[in-house]
């Protein structure tokens, strides 16, 4: 009972804190009394909320006016979202060009919880579209894009995501945890990841990392197609241009490799 009350109280505090940020975003500046009135709490509660947000740099006090406004601590948070949106825009021309040159499906995927979600797709001129991958959540452990995203996470974060995913064995070729960890080390060293009929029987793919301006891997660029057409030999010929395409998107995002 006590734990439930504490949890509910914590959720209410988070909800109120978000409301405070929304108020300041809408009004530009607001005092403690104004914030308290808008979220219907006592002034002391509003003061504590503003103090906690100020401590994290999410709000700041305007000099000599006793009012609060949004703080610069929000910029890194907004930037993280902006980069995820921007990578789609920056990658679109590269995806289209690669699809045209390779004649296969090109996808751009980002991390969402313990999934890879495809945010853009381009089809080659002769590709018969059997899959619309945009918005589709795919497993991290058995897709080329997922392996790229996993490989560049801190080990503790990676373990948590794999545990949450359950690592379902979808085909006879889906990797076990021990084999996957060994493979991810090779992915980091080589700069690309391959999935050979691990997610779907008859589907092969290769992916490469896309970096943001700080060098963090924020997306994976992949080419995929039927195994009879994209066998290991053909995938090998597509890997280098795919890696170059991912590097081009990274440059557009502001990253330059040393």
């Amino acid at each position: 009972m006590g734990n439930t009350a504490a949890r509910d109280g914590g959720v209410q505090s988070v909800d109120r804190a978000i409301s405070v940020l929304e108020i300041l975003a809408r009004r530009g500046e607001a005092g403690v009394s104004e914030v308290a009135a808008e979220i219907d709490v006592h002034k002391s509660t509003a003061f504590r909320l503003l103090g906690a947000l100020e401590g994290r740099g999410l709000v700041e006090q305007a000099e000599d006016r006793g009012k609060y406004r949004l703080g610069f601590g929000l910029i890194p948070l907004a930037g993280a979202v902006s980069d995820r949106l921007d990578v789609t825009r920056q990658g679109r021309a590269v995806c289209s060009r690669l699809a045209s040159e390779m004649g296969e499906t090109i996808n751009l995927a980002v991390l969402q919880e313990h999934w890879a979600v495809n945010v853009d797709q381009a089809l080659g001129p002769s590709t018969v579209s059997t899959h619309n991958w945009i918005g589709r959540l795919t497993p991290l452990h058995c897709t080329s894009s997922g392996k790229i995203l996993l490989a560049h996470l801190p080990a503790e974060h990676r373990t948590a995501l794999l545990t949450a995913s359950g690592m379902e064995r979808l085909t006879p070729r889906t990797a076990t945890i021990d084999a996957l960890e060994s493979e991810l080390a090779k992915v980091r060293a080589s700069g690309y990841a391959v999935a050979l009929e691990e997610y779907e029987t008859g589907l092969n793919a290769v992916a490469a990392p896309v970096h943001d301006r700080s060098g963090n891997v924020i997306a994976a660029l992949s080419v995929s197609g039927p195994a009879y057409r994209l066998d290991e030999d053909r995938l090998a010929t597509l890997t280098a241009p795919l890696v170059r395409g991912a590097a081009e998107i990274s440059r557009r995002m502001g990253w330059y490799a040393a």
Side-chain angles (χ1 to χ4, degrees), residues 152-177:
H152 295 89
L153 291 174
E156 189 174 325
H157 189 186
R158 182 165 63 247
T159 299
L161 293 184
L162 290 174
T163 300
S165 75
M167 287 193 65
E168 182 181 357
R169 191 156 198 200
L170 298 174
T171 79
R173 302 192 70 166
T174 302
T176 61
I177 183 64

Side-chain angles (χ1 to χ4, degrees), residues 10 14 17 29 44 73-75 81 83-84 93 106 146 153 168 193 199 201 206 208 230 234 238 248-249:
V14 171
E29 291 183 352
S44 62
L74 286 167
I75 291 175
V81 176
D83 281 348
R84 287 175 57 136
I106 305 295
L153 291 174
E168 182 181 357
Y199 176 48
T201 299
V206 61
L230 255 65
R234 179 132 191 269
L238 298 181
E248 182 179 342
I249 299 173

Side-chain angles (χ1 to χ4, degrees), residues 7 17 53 69 77 104 106 120 128 137 140 157 173 177 184 210 223 233 243 251-252 256:
R7 184 168 61 250
L53 292 169
R69 61 193 175 203
L77 302 179
E104 303 292 349
I106 305 295
D120 204 8
V128 177
L137 299 174
L140 294 171
H157 189 186
R173 302 192 70 166
I177 183 64
L184 293 180
V210 175
V223 55
D233 290 339
V243 169
R251 286 193 295 273
R252 290 174 179 229
Y256 294 87

